[in-house]
Amino acid sequence: MTAPATQFKAAARTLAADLRHRSLIQTALGKYEVKRDEMKARFQDWEGARQAAADIKFEAINHLDRYLEQFVARIEARGTKVHWASTAEEARQIIVGICRDRRARRIVKSKAMTAEEIHLNHALEQAGFKVVESDLGEFIVQLRDEAPYHIVFPAMHLTRGEIKDLFERKLGDAPSDNPEVLTMVARRVLRQEYVAADVGITGANFAVAETGMISVTENEGNARLTAALPRTMITLVGIEKIVPSLADLALFLPMLATAGAGQLLSGYNTLYGGPRQPGEADGPEEFHVVLLDNQRTALLADAEQRDALHCIRCGACLNVCPIFRNVGGQTYGTTYPGPIGSVITPHLRGLQEWKHLPFASSLCGACSEVCPVKIDLHHHLLQHRRTARAAKPVWWEKLAFRGFALLVNTPWLWRLSLALGRVGQKFHGLVKGTKLDPAYVWTQSREAPALAGQSFKAWWRERGRGTTDHGSTGRRTKDQGPGTKNQGSRVTSHESRIPEERPRRSDDGRHGA
Amino acid sequence: MSERNAILGRIREALRVAATRPGSHPTPPMSSAAAPTPASRDRAAGKSTDGFARWLPRVGAGFDELAAAFAAASKELRTDFHVLELEAGADILLGALRDAQGWQRVASHRDPLTTRVAESLGLPVLWTEGGYDPLELERCDVGITACDLLVAQTGSVLVTSASAGGRALSVLPPHHVVLARREQLVSDLPEAFRRLQEKYRQRYPSMISFITGPSRTGDIERILVLGAHGPKQLTVLVW
């Protein structure tokens, strides 16, 4: 097993059994679901909106070169400097370089998953800068020196008590565990940072090609302040964030808020098209936009899964995923957890090393159902499995499936194993769930279903003869056996299906004992 | 420049193969799949997509219905929204807020709506035109701004760096007061974007922001707290 897979399994086992974690996540997501459904219901046609959003992203991603060039030309015309980064390393170098050239000391940052993706804070700290996360959730996980739990709710795995202890330890200030009091502590600490910082770094939710603007969605106002007060502003944005026209945001902004947080619109949706313009009161003197590839073009080259680049990072698929809800966000060990993470991480970081993620799925399809841009997430998870196994077959799996094929194609063997199974399960209780149990891998955490007393085939045969009088199925055959004149419509419909059954019977005859 | 060419080259190479449309993969999702919708047809025909309004939440027409919708949204968002008969009503209302909250310093910008009202409070006013000291602005109790539009559908205030005294004035002071005329209240987001484009098409301000309620966070146990970083209070006055 690869190191990420071992880590995933171990962490998943612990967290799935952690009742405190479970109740915290279920409560938080329960509140989210209520609000999300309430907002969805306000749309005149949520499904129509999904289709329109999917169409727009399809158009943008499938003409990405054209829209990117348009975006760059328009935003540069307003005095913005655009940088292109093929890799995470290049993006880090560009941003560290800008901070060095400006002789910056303090940097204030608003939430950006792309920055998590390239481990930007680490690189900046290595280079000697002080970086402060200004989003409250990100600020909390930064103080704990850990990765965000969720792409929208970074600190949803922590209780107010834990946050109070953290503030006491790290900030020396936590009068109570009241969320409002704790928020005001963070507000006081961070206010100083906006004014003192030399550089502000943000991410972007959308990049508008038509007008050359980036769009930032937030609730707290921390990104607004990050983009208002420092002299230099840097925005790191993945190349897939493009939408063609400004008016597209009239659809995407409420959909992002509804799917992501159960709000009709987030608190602040802000477009930035350049540095401070002549005649404006404030704003940064310089505005840098760093366009990040970092394997996105590799995903683009996969025509089948290209729609994974439509993602607007709302987190809706995480919130409904039974795997995410049980194992938690940090278990994934990836920047992007949940279904979308399990689809894109193998592209971004290598399928063989991350193939355990698409296997950690029930394929229930809840993710595809809620995705506001209609990414076929569970299809992609299944396809990853196929690709992973085709490239690197697992011998015991192949052997097991060959054995299973032999078993189900050999009626006498099948009947024998059923007969043995019926006898064997009587004694299963003696060892069930212990290491002596041959089905231990299954039964250590699950119930083994009991075999039926009679197989369908045996029942069918007896019913055909009309002679059976045992088993729960006997009654109807006794009353209205086939061939009797007063048969009901149900039996007639059975009879009409009999010709389809015949080939199987003849098969049976050929192989059978 | 070379990175630019390298990335664009990889994109063009990748796009030589046509993509599978969402919903048309071999194992389609359970939701009913993709008949062409009005949006995709409009787009294919190169028409504009003003049709978004037909999917978004319904809004009424006429000032009274729009004001009622804005008021309902404000109630949920905890925005203080007041429709006034006369401009003088703003002086009275803000005078009462000044006394109740003990305002000492006011920040604002020069605008036909804001200048007189800000001065009427009888407090020192920090004007943001031509630049200001951020520490001074941080010490102000209230920021009074004009706006571009109010959006009834979402209870949003649309401000820009041109219309609202820069980037920080509407977000740094703990109380943001917005002054607007009746005709600035529009129905929905598509309409707001249309007006925005009409007004600024030639020259967009460097910042455009839809403010929807006071600053908020739910980052601690998903419990709503107002005033995370931006204003704890948002007051919108229309006359």
Side-chain angles (χ1 to χ4, degrees), chain B residues 63 81-91 94 111-114 116-117 144-145 150 177-185 236-239:
Chain B
F63 179 80
F81 173 57
H82 302 274
V83 180
L84 309 171
E85 290 304 316
L86 298 162
E87 187 179 343
D91 299 2
L94 293 182
D111 179 277
L113 282 186
T114 53
R116 202 201 53 74
V117 173
I144 301 176
T145 76
L150 304 176
V177 174
V178 179
L179 307 179
R181 295 280 195 189
R182 284 170 181 249
E183 56 272 20
Q184 288 180 290
L185 178 62
V236 179
L237 307 181
V238 180
W239 66 84

Side-chain angles (χ1 to χ4, degrees), chain A residues 86 187 220 271 282 304 376, chain B residues 3 25 132 167 208 215 230:
Chain A
S86 285
R187 178 183 169 109
E220 298 179 3
L271 290 147
D282 55 9
E304 177 86 4
D376 282 342
Chain B
E3 277 314 306
H25 285 102
Y132 57 89
R167 297 190 182 195
I208 299 166
S215 161

Side-chain angles (χ1 to χ4, degrees), chain B residues 84-109:
Chain B
L84 309 171
E85 290 304 316
L86 298 162
E87 187 179 343
D91 299 2
I92 298 164
L93 216 143
L94 293 182
L97 278 172
R98 170 200 59 202
D99 298 340
Q101 301 185 343
W103 293 349
Q104 303 284 324
R105 289 186 196 80
V106 177
S108 188
H109 63 110

Side-chain angles (χ1 to χ4, degrees), chain A residues 300 360 400:
Chain A
L300 194 71

Side-chain angles (χ1 to χ4, degrees), chain B residues 11-12 37 39 60 69-70 88 106 162 170 183 206 211 214 218 234 237:
Chain B
I11 292 173
R12 290 185 184 122
T37 59
F70 196 94
V106 177
S170 54
E183 56 272 20
S206 72
I211 299 175
L234 174 63
L237 307 181

Side-chain angles (χ1 to χ4, degrees), chain A residues 208-327:
Chain A
V208 182
E210 180 191 20
T211 55
M213 294 171 184
I214 59 124
S215 173
V216 181
T217 294
E218 51 151 348
N219 275 309
E220 298 179 3
N222 60 310
R224 284 280 313 267
L225 289 166
T226 301
L229 298 176
R231 281 203 319 274
T232 303
M233 172 178 173
I234 305 172
T235 296
L236 176 64
V237 49
I239 52 173
E240 84 286 12
K241 287 282 181 279
I242 287 278
V243 292
S245 22
L246 186 61
D248 292 337
L249 295 182
L251 185 66
F252 280 100
L253 298 180
M255 289 188 78
L256 173 63
T258 298
Q263 295 173 284
L264 193 54
L265 207 58
S266 311
Y268 299 90
N269 286 284
T270 311
L271 290 147
Y272 297 101
R276 178 182 185 173
Q277 302 292 296
E280 291 185 347
D282 55 9
E285 291 156 22
E286 288 175 54
F287 180 31
H288 298 265
V289 169
V290 182
L291 292 171
L292 178 69
D293 177 350
N294 201 27
Q295 300 296 317
R296 284 163 174 77
T297 47
L299 176 48
L300 194 71
D302 186 335
E304 177 86 4
Q305 301 203 4
R306 190 176 295 160
D307 66 345
L309 288 170
H310 296 187
C311 177
I312 58 171
R313 307 277 186 263
C314 67
C317 61
L318 282 58
N319 300 339
V320 298
C321 178
I323 307 300
F324 179 90
R325 294 172 73 123
N326 275 290
V327 307

Side-chain angles (χ1 to χ4, degrees), chain A residues 437-446:
Chain A
D437 186 348
Y440 175 67
V441 181
W442 180 270
T443 55
Q444 62 178 325
S445 58
R446 302 169 184 86

Side-chain angles (χ1 to χ4, degrees), chain A residues 64-78:
Chain A
L64 189 55
D65 51 337
R66 210 172 68 204
Y67 287 121
L68 271 177
E69 285 188 308
Q70 191 186 12
F71 167 77
V72 171
R74 299 280 153 86
I75 202 166
E76 280 182 342
R78 254 177 255 110

